[in-house]
Amino acid sequence: MSAIKSLEAVARDRVGKGAARAVRRQGQIPAVVYGAGQPPVSIAIDLIRARTLIYAGGFKTTVFEIAVGGRKLRAIPRDFQLDPVTGVPLHVDFLRVVSGQTVTVAVPVHFINEDEAPGIKQGGGTLNITSHTLELDVAPDRIPEAIEVDLTGRQIGDVIHVSDVKIPAGTYTGEPTDPVANIVPPTVLGAEVEAEEAAIAEAQSAEAAEEKAEAEAAAEEENKGEDEKSED
């Protein structure tokens, strides 16, 4: 299960775009903690700490104990905003968690024992992943770090459904028949790659022909202009 992480924060007494910009100039980012029927709490957290946590992975499946104003709040990230150009965090929304409640989180799927799958090891097949995460309804203190899918014995043509996967904790929010992955023959993805490469080559050829035609037309126009000057 994911360990609870500590996070230092300071309370914000002002909100709005101007206040948010002022917070960011101080090397922090604005955030808010809401939920559990309690008033929202506006906070600011260290930019470097926030960036490290976000890009380390598993941010939205981690419960944080946020120390702010002499008290501690337990919350889980619900959403965050990044600058579309620089990727720098701009804002984080935290959902307050209390005893007895569950939260809905997208838990990453990890595939293990690929070398023990005859369809891949001997048959040369390819693992085609359709779901990189599974959404679970789970108690905050039981959120798994990942869901492992064992590929031992899997053959070409096998389809792995959610019903074939052991969910460590919580309840899957979708249907048991939802596919997680399948093992495809080596020619399937190969044909797709070849078709894509052929399409790219055709587009490049057409573009080159168009550029050549434009250059020839420009040269012809230039020669025509020189001929007219000579006649003058």
Side-chain angles (χ1 to χ4, degrees):
M1 303 302 166
S2 298
I4 296 175
K5 294 184 179 180
S6 60
L7 184 62
E8 296 290 330
V10 294
R12 289 190 295 137
D13 55 2
R14 295 173 55 233
V15 295
K17 292 183 178 180
R21 285 194 294 267
V23 167
R24 296 187 186 105
R25 284 196 295 267
Q26 296 171 2
Q28 300 173 317
I29 63 170
V32 62
V33 182
Y34 66 92
Q38 301 179 36
V41 178
S42 296
I43 60 175
I45 56 180
D46 181 72
L47 170 60
I48 296 176
R49 172 71 166 151
R51 183 169 54 194
T52 300
L53 290 169
I54 290 172
Y55 285 103
F59 184 60
K60 287 187 176 182
T61 58
T62 301
V63 175
F64 290 92
E65 189 168 73
I66 304 172
V68 55
R71 57 175 175 158
K72 294 183 178 180
L73 308 173
R74 284 200 176 183
I76 186 170
R78 287 285 81 180
D79 196 14
F80 57 84
Q81 296 174 352
L82 301 177
D83 185 286
V85 177
T86 64
V88 172
L90 298 176
H91 190 275
V92 180
D93 289 339
F94 289 95
L95 175 66
R96 187 184 281 106
V97 297
V98 296
S99 178
Q101 80 172 93
T102 60
V103 294
T104 301
V105 293
V107 179
V109 177
H110 292 173
F111 296 86
I112 62 173
N113 296 327
E114 189 169 321
D115 288 343
E116 302 300 322
I120 299 175
K121 186 69 174 179
Q122 286 83 35
T126 301
L127 179 66
N128 180 41
I129 302 172
T130 55
S131 297
H132 291 274
T133 62
L134 293 180
E135 195 172 80
L136 304 183
D137 189 36
V138 61
D141 59 349
R142 301 197 64 199
I143 299 174
E145 292 185 3
I147 297 172
E148 292 188 343
V149 177
D150 191 351
L151 298 176
T152 300
R154 293 292 180 176
Q155 301 283 355
I156 289 177
D158 282 358
V159 179
I160 303 170
H161 299 93
V162 172
S163 57
D164 303 317
V165 178
K166 183 179 179 181
I167 306 295
T171 305
Y172 176 59
T173 61
E175 299 295 329
T177 54
D178 290 342
V180 178
N182 63 320
I183 299 178
V184 298
T187 55
V188 174
L189 292 182
E192 292 179 356
V193 171
E194 289 178 3
E196 184 177 351
E197 291 177 345
I200 293 173
E202 184 178 351
Q204 290 175 338
S205 177
E207 185 178 349
E210 184 177 347
E211 290 177 353
K212 182 180 180 181
E214 290 177 354
E216 291 176 348
E220 184 178 344
E221 187 69 24
E222 184 178 347
N223 292 334
K224 182 179 178 181
E226 291 179 354
D227 291 342
E228 289 177 350
K229 289 180 180 179
S230 298
E231 290 176 359
D232 293 342

